[in-house]
Amino acid sequence: FVKTNAGYGVLVGTSVGLFATNQLNGTATVWVQQSPETIGNAICEMIKVRRVDNRVVVATHGGGVFAASITQGHHLTGIKEALKSTFTVFPNPATDAIIISASDIQTGGVYTIYNMLGKKVLETPATSIETRISISSLPSGTYIIKFKNGDTESSGKFVKK
């Protein structure tokens, strides 16, 4: 457990990388892979937290030792709570494509889709108030979609049948 400005976050070292959440919610907990480009899928054998300044050190099997200071909730989730936008995804569940409708999202942002392991599977620019994304190449399952445009961020879920 790591104390953040938003309460507490949870880090979990697994056999396929380091994951975190800032809200435990049983089987609906959303785990986000941490540092996928550097730690990647390395086995995380040990996590130590220095409580005085929330310095986190993670030891991996054959991948090295990594350190970071965790003080904000978005350090774990990648989502800043201060500047949020809202969008809806339909149809949900979907088979071939989803349409994202967001009246308050300006073009220039990016939608990124992650599987439930936190791996990025698709990325597309926000083209207008409604953006169509083909998901026909994705396997069936639940996905997380994040929007980012500068400091504005938002996230949601959808199901691919």
Side-chain angles (χ1 to χ4, degrees):
F1 289 88
V2 180
K3 187 171 175 45
T4 69
N5 68 326
Y8 283 89
V10 180
L11 288 166
V12 176
T14 73
S15 62
V16 291
L18 180 66
F19 292 83
T21 186
N22 65 357
Q23 183 178 17
L24 292 173
N25 189 18
T27 59
T29 298
V30 177
W31 293 98
V32 178
Q33 186 175 22
Q34 303 297 290
S35 195
E37 289 80 28
T38 52
I39 296 175
N41 294 336
I43 298 169
C44 293
E45 294 187 345
M46 185 180 295
I47 303 171
K48 292 289 186 179
V49 179
R50 187 170 58 199
R51 302 276 181 222
V52 68
D53 62 355
N54 274 357
R55 186 73 171 165
V56 176
V57 178
V58 178
T60 67
H61 179 77
V65 178
F66 301 89
S69 293
I70 308 293
T71 58
Q72 307 291 315
H74 70 271
H75 290 163
L76 298 174
T77 63
I79 302 170
K80 292 181 183 176
E81 297 298 327
L83 299 170
K84 271 200 145 176
S85 181
T86 58
F87 61 83
T88 57
V89 179
F90 61 93
N92 193 6
T95 53
D96 295 322
I98 56 172
I99 297 173
I100 301 168
S101 177
S103 59
D104 61 339
I105 290 179
Q106 300 175 7
T107 60
V110 175
Y111 290 107
T112 307
I113 298 175
Y114 299 88
N115 65 19
M116 292 308 286
L117 296 175
K119 180 180 177 188
K120 180 171 48 172
V121 294
L122 280 175
E123 189 169 83
T124 189
T127 55
S128 67
I129 291 173
E130 287 193 352
T131 301
R132 183 182 189 280
I133 301 174
S134 173
I135 59 167
S136 59
S137 64
L138 298 178
S140 297
T142 302
Y143 292 87
I144 299 167
I145 185 161
K146 291 184 182 179
F147 170 79
K148 182 164 178 46
N149 186 5
D151 287 338
T152 304
E153 298 183 0
S154 188
S155 66
K157 289 183 185 178
F158 71 93
V159 175
K160 162 78 182 323
K161 289 197 266 182

